[in-house]
Amino acid sequence: MRIIDIKIDNWRNFNNVRIEAPEDATLICLVGENGTGKSNILELISAVAHRLGVSPGVEIPRGDPFGEPHSFSVSIRFNETIESLLDEQQAQQFIQNGITWGGVLTVTSVRDEQGHNSKQLLAQGGGDEGQRINLASRLIQKLNERKHTHYLSLDADRAYPPIQIRPQEYASALSEDWETPQKKKHRAFAPTRTMYEEWVKYFLAKETQDATKLQQAMRRAKREGQPQPEFVDGFDPYKQAVQEVLPHLNFVGVDTTHKTLVFDSSGLELKFTNLSGGEREISFIIGQIERFQLQQGILLIDKPELHLNPDLLRNWVAYLRDTVEDGQVWISTHSLEAVETAGPSSTFVLERTQDTRIVENIRPLIDSPVLTVLSAAVGSPAFSLSNLKFVFIEGDRQGREKERFYSLYGDSRFVRFIEGGGCEEVMKKLSAVRELAAEADEQLFVGGIIDADFRTQEIIDELQSRTPVFVLSCHEIENIYLHPEALEVVRNRAGIQEEVQEITKRVADRFAGTWVLQRTILLTQLEIESKRALNQPAAQDWNTIDGDVDQFLDNLCAASGLQDDDLNTFRQDVTSSVEVYRAVRETNELWKKCLGKQTLGVIFQDFGISSVESLQNNIARIWGNGEANLPDELVALRDYINSIE
C-alpha cells in the first residue's frame, strides 16, 4: 500500500497545498525549515491510516487532526482487489451492481470552527458513488480485521535512558505472549518513548520464554530417547539486520540480571545504554522493524538522522527504504543524504510565507533545479527559495565564518550564509546559481562575499567585473571585531592601561612573518611548487624579523626552491611585503589590515576575557547598546546583504 495524494485546503499551518507522491516511490522525504510542519504531515498520515483500517489506533501527543478545524483529503492505494478483500458473496454483489475499484481509498474530511463535521470514505472507481461509499466501509472493516501489522510510526521524541524494570513488571512481561500478530499490531502506533520501554521488556521476556521452551524440549527429548533439539536463535534476524547497517556491531544477547541488551562493539561488550548515540538509534529502530515485522505497509519516521553522522546516514536511509517490501516509507528530515537517497521527484519541499508563517507551497524538489543546487551547496535541503537570501562566503563547514556572519548581520531569519570554499569557488558557485535561476525563470536572492585579503583595488575591480561579489573592506570578517572604538570600551571596563592600538600592534606583530608570506604569495607572479615549505621559516614575529631582515629573507628564499632570476624576484617581493607591513603597523588601519583570524584568536586574552566567543559577544552588545559606533566596514556589509535582489 502507498499514499498517493494528500490535499490540505486548511489545517494547522497549511493552506491550499497538495502532495502527489509518485506511484512507484517507496521513500518519500519531507523537507523544509523548522516549523513548516513536516511532522504535522506525518501525524495526518497516522490519523488517516487509522480511519482507513491500516492502523488499529492513533496516539499523537499534539492531538488527533480530525478533532481540529480542518479541510483535507488523503488517498491510499492498496495492492488488493474487491475479491481478495471481501467475502465472495459481498464481492459479487458489488461487481454485479457495476462497481469497480482501482485499489484507492480516499478519506475526505471537513470540520469548522464550531465543531461541525463532515467526513466521507470513498472507494475510487466506477459506478454509483453511494455504492462506492458502502464499499469503502466494507473494505475498511476487512482491513481492520487483519491480524498482521501494516503500519508503524516512530516519532522524533527518541531517547534511550537506562530503564529500571521492577520485579512485578518483569513477571508481567514474562506472562505475555509478545509474538501474537494482534499484540504487535496494537502497539505499532504507540509513542516512541513507550515503544522503547516495551522493546526492552520484549527482549527480556522472549529470551527467558525461548530458553524455557528449549529446556522443556530438551527434557522431553531425553525422556523419550529422542535427539536433542537444535538451538534456534530467535534474535538472529535482528542480529543480522543490525550488522547490515553497522558491520562492527554484534548483538550478543540479553542480560536478564541487569535487565538490558548486550552488544559487542569492535570486540568490546557493552550494554545498550553504553553504545554511541548513533548505534543506539539504529539498533532501536531496526528492533522495531524486526519486532513488528512490517514488510507490507507504511513506515513513518520523524528525523531518521537523529544522532547519526552524514557518512552513515545515506546507507541507513537506503536500508529503511528497502525494509518495506510492498509499501512506503515517509520521513521528515533536514538531511541532504536522505534527500539524495529518495531522489528529487520523491522529495517535497515545504515553504511558508514570512509574514503569515503559513505553508502555501509544497512542491517536489525536481521542479526546482535552483533549490537542488543550493541544497548541495548548503548541505541541507531545509530552506525556502522564495523567502530567503542566500549568501556564499569564503570558508568551509568546519570553520566558524558562518557563525560570525550571522552574528555581525544580526538577523538570521531571512539569510542563509553558505560556506563556498575559497574565493574562486565562491565566485563560481555564485555565477552558476545566478545563471541557473535565470534559465529556470525563478526568483532568487543570492549574493557572494569574499575577503579583501591583500588584494589591490585593480585585482578587486577585475574580480567584480567577472561576478558581482562584495569584497570586504578589511582583510577578513574577523577584523571587524578588532574595531578600535569597540575595543576601547572593553579596555575601559577591564581597567587596562595599555592603549588599544598598542595591544593590537603587539598581538598582530606575532604573526608578521605569516602576513608577509601570505601577501607575497598572493601578489607574486611566480609559480612556487611547495608553498607549505615556506610556512616554518615564515613563522616569525616582527621583532625577530626587524632584528635581522636579511636572515629572514635568506630563510624564505632557501625554502622557496626558486633559482636565479625567479629567486631574485621572490626576494624583492618578500622585501616589499616586509616594508609594507612596517608601514601598516604604524597606522590607524592596522586593525583592518592585520591577520584578523589569528589576531582575534589571541587578543581576547589581553582584555581579560575567557574566549574569542565571549569577546565577540561583548562587542556585539556594545554595538547593540550604542556604546560604540558601528564600523563603516560592518555598515557596508549589512547594506550589501540588504540590497541583494
Side-chain angles (χ1 to χ4, degrees), residues 27 241-248 282 286 289 304-305 308-323 331 335-342:
L27 173 64
V242 170
Q243 288 200 302
E244 185 175 338
V245 185
L246 300 172
H248 71 282
I282 290 175
I286 288 178
I289 294 171
E305 68 269 25
L308 303 181
N309 64 61
D311 294 335
L312 176 60
L313 187 56
R314 188 178 284 102
N315 291 336
W316 172 228
V317 174
Y319 173 86
L320 293 174
R321 176 196 62 201
D322 298 337
T323 56
I331 63 175
S335 162
L336 182 63
E337 289 76 16
V339 170
E340 290 173 345
T341 303

Side-chain angles (χ1 to χ4, degrees), residues 228-295:
Q228 289 292 308
E230 183 181 352
F231 169 69
V232 177
D233 189 350
F235 292 128
D236 196 52
Y238 170 71
K239 173 183 176 180
Q240 294 179 14
V242 170
Q243 288 200 302
E244 185 175 338
V245 185
L246 300 172
H248 71 282
L249 194 64
N250 181 34
F251 174 67
V252 174
V254 179
D255 183 342
T256 55
T257 301
H258 296 96
K259 309 292 188 297
T260 186
L261 285 66
V262 180
F263 294 80
D264 182 309
S265 180
S266 302
L268 180 65
E269 281 202 1
L270 298 170
K271 298 177 182 177
F272 174 77
T273 52
N274 295 131
L275 298 177
S276 70
E279 290 171 335
R280 290 197 304 270
E281 175 77 0
I282 290 175
S283 299
F284 170 74
I285 294 181
I286 288 178
Q288 307 323 298
I289 294 171
E290 290 297 318
R291 173 188 169 194
F292 293 104
Q293 293 294 296
L294 180 71
Q295 296 179 335

